[in-house]
Amino acid sequence: MRNENGRPRMPLALRTAVGIMVFQTLANTAAGVLMLVFAAEDAEHGRTVPTLTYVLAAVSVIIGVVLLVCVVLLLRRNSAARPVVAAVEVFGMVNGLAGLLLGAPQSVVGLVLAFLVLFHVFRPESTDWLEPWPEEEEDAPVAD
């Protein structure tokens, strides 16, 4: 399908992946900020805060920012975001599997979301949509 300017519309698979990634961005960033708030409250009341808490909070916020950048790049039809998305989502799948093995059944949610993003970002229609438009190829400078 094409929109009013003649360019193909973003496929449903990629829109689904972007929507899940936006949710993951919000969830990761909120979790990281919440961990930092709780750590600051503990430190304010004289309780010791493990360094791991700060590391996990920072990693969570960084993952949220990276996913947000990937969402913007995908919306701009930049396929260079796909390897980064794959790395983050594989990390999320490993994290989900580790959580399941450690007895946290709620980690299956992150596992499923990561799988869905990987599945939809690498579908053929997503790959086709991320390829440059024919008019962009003609406008590109030719190397002599």
Side-chain angles (χ1 to χ4, degrees):
M1 286 191 109
R2 298 190 177 271
N3 56 15
E4 58 275 354
N5 60 5
R7 293 183 174 160
R9 292 178 58 186
M10 180 186 285
L12 179 61
L14 197 56
R15 280 187 277 164
T16 302
V18 167
I20 294 170
M21 289 170 57
V22 167
F23 173 75
Q24 289 175 322
T25 297
L26 295 172
N28 271 305
T29 305
V33 169
L34 194 59
M35 280 192 281
L36 288 173
V37 167
F38 287 152
E41 185 177 326
D42 283 348
E44 186 177 301
H45 287 86
R47 294 184 287 262
T48 59
V49 179
T51 306
L52 184 59
T53 303
Y54 293 110
V55 171
L56 291 176
V59 167
S60 188
V61 170
I62 289 169
I63 287 173
V65 170
V66 168
L67 283 174
L68 180 63
V69 169
C70 288
V71 164
V72 170
L73 289 174
L74 287 174
L75 291 174
R76 292 179 173 226
R77 297 181 74 157
N78 189 337
S79 63
R82 292 191 331 164
V84 178
V85 169
V88 170
E89 297 302 338
V90 166
F91 177 71
M93 291 178 86
V94 169
N95 186 31
L97 286 172
L100 279 176
L101 292 175
L102 293 173
Q106 68 273 18
S107 63
V108 77
V109 174
L111 188 64
V112 169
L113 291 177
F115 173 77
L116 286 173
V117 168
L118 283 174
F119 178 74
H120 288 302
V121 166
F122 287 96
R123 287 186 60 126
E125 60 267 23
S126 298
T127 301
D128 291 343
W129 189 81
L130 289 169
E131 294 298 319
W133 298 309
E135 61 267 15
E136 287 179 351
E137 291 174 355
E138 292 171 7
D139 294 340
V142 177
D144 293 320

